[in-house]
Amino acid sequence: IALHPQVTIVTGRGCPYKCTFCLWPQTITGSHYRLRSIANVVEEFEFIADELPQVNDIFIEDDTFTVDQERCISFAKELLQTGRKQCFTANSRANVTYETLEWLNKAGLRLLCVGFESGDQEVLNAMRKGIRVEQFYRFREDAQRAGVLIHGCFMAGNQGETRESLAKTMKLAKQLNPDTAQFYPLMVYPGTEAYALAQSNGSLITRDYQEWLSADGYHNTVINQPGLAASELVSWCDQARRSFYLRPNYILSKAWQIATQPREAERIIRSARTFSKHLLT
């Protein structure tokens, strides 16, 4: 999703949100968002520009970079004062205002990686996502208007998941139509609330950590939901990728993006070469 070559930095640790599946805040970084100063982060951006001029994208790998939107705007303004518009990408929630998106884009924000997770409100509530489906559509419109690309993350297998809720998630993904999307089965990591729930309700099918990945090293899931076996959840993710990426309109939009956005052309072509073999198998 980022341009190549990229550098990854961290400007803050922790996340105040309470998603049951999320690994890092529950096991390592905690729920309190601790921040580096804006001046310190801007200084690192300048260092990268001076010492690593070949870098095309800076990925801000905070759990949720946009937690403090006032800080985001202040950061954007200070970055603009340097006179250097450096391309960067970050992790975000789908609750960022248009004003914040606009300022960040002016300062060089290219793309936000956003966890939409599900198109079913009850599933979102069960995972304690703390957001409503309606907000996703408003956020998507604002991001498009601000010129910010979106990488959408979608999940299968959270508490309350059904075939009907999966259909809603697929519908959401296509209607939002982010620049890129990923579909993955729930990974219940020890130390998370999702893991504890799977243990307590009997949906965890193994404690052998080798089973957390497939034989080929891809995401697997080790839970069965009522009416949905683990294998069905993995299969749905495979089908969802094909359904999302092989749409004629999507393919045409990528062709147009290649023709009109030279900065994105290499990424799209490189990704298509690598990803197509997985889509077609």
Side-chain angles (χ1 to χ4, degrees):
I1 61 176
L3 300 178
H4 176 82
Q6 67 157 317
V7 164
T8 299
I9 69 170
V10 174
T11 79
R13 305 195 73 186
C15 180
Y17 301 106
K18 306 295 183 183
C19 304
T20 59
F21 59 85
C22 198
L23 173 63
W24 306 118
Q26 295 186 71
T27 60
I28 297 178
T29 60
S31 60
H32 178 59
Y33 191 33
R34 288 93 67 202
L35 305 171
R36 292 168 55 190
S37 71
I38 290 172
N40 182 256
V41 177
V42 171
E43 183 180 349
E44 184 168 18
F45 267 62
E46 292 184 296
F47 174 86
I48 293 169
D50 292 336
E51 303 298 328
L52 300 168
Q54 71 274 26
V55 167
N56 288 322
D57 204 342
I58 299 171
F59 196 105
I60 299 176
E61 189 64 283
D62 298 18
D63 292 326
T64 312
F65 173 65
T66 55
V67 167
D68 185 341
Q69 295 189 50
E70 289 186 7
R71 174 181 181 258
C72 287
I73 292 173
S74 297
F75 165 70
K77 290 179 178 179
E78 192 158 333
L79 197 58
L80 284 166
Q81 288 178 358
T82 68
R84 301 177 178 185
K85 186 174 180 179
Q86 291 170 262
C87 177
F88 64 98
T89 297
N91 295 319
S92 175
R93 274 171 66 87
N95 63 346
V96 186
T97 66
Y98 174 73
E99 181 187 11
T100 304
L101 291 166
E102 186 179 36
W103 273 109
L104 288 172
N105 181 253
K106 286 179 182 178
L109 176 65
R110 169 184 158 270
L111 181 145
L112 289 175
C113 182
V114 179
F116 298 106
E117 321 307 1
S118 177
D120 187 284
Q121 190 62 53
E122 291 186 8
V123 174
L124 290 172
N125 294 345
M127 70 174 76
R128 298 206 293 181
K129 187 70 180 175
I131 200 165
R132 298 201 60 80
V133 173
E134 297 79 38
Q135 291 177 262
F136 296 156
Y137 292 98
R138 174 62 183 271
F139 167 77
R140 180 71 178 113
E141 290 175 5
D142 287 344
Q144 284 183 305
R145 190 156 58 102
V148 176
L149 298 175
I150 299 298
H151 171 77
C153 304
F154 302 90
M155 299 180 70
N158 279 284
Q159 184 182 5
E161 195 80 89
T162 63
R163 290 183 179 84
E164 290 74 21
S165 64
L166 289 174
K168 290 180 181 179
T169 299
M170 191 70 253
K171 180 180 179 181
L172 173 71
K174 289 180 178 179
Q175 289 182 336
L176 294 178
N177 196 34
D179 182 70
T180 49
Q182 66 185 61
F183 301 86
Y184 51 96
L186 174 64
M187 303 281 279
V188 285
Y189 295 102
T192 64
E193 189 175 339
Y195 182 85
L197 178 63
Q199 275 190 308
S200 64
N201 66 17
S203 61
L204 187 69
I205 59 178
T206 179
R207 290 181 174 81
D208 181 356
Y209 294 150
Q210 294 185 70
E211 300 298 324
W212 261 248
L213 297 175
S214 69
D216 296 323
Y218 299 123
H219 273 189
N220 195 17
T221 189
V222 292
I223 60 164
N224 290 328
Q225 292 291 7
L228 283 171
S231 59
E232 290 182 80
L233 295 171
V234 174
S235 178
W236 180 86
C237 292
D238 293 337
Q239 294 169 12
R241 290 185 202 99
R242 287 192 288 271
S243 182
F244 181 87
Y245 280 105
L246 297 180
R247 291 173 293 150
N249 286 347
Y250 181 83
I251 295 170
L252 287 172
S253 72
K254 293 295 108 179
W256 177 251
Q257 199 174 12
I258 290 171
T260 59
Q261 301 181 38
R263 183 175 71 171
E264 302 295 333
E266 182 183 355
R267 171 187 66 96
I268 296 168
I269 294 169
R270 185 194 296 264
S271 299
R273 287 173 178 167
T274 303
F275 194 40
S276 60
K277 62 183 179 182
H278 298 291
L279 284 178
L280 300 174
T281 56

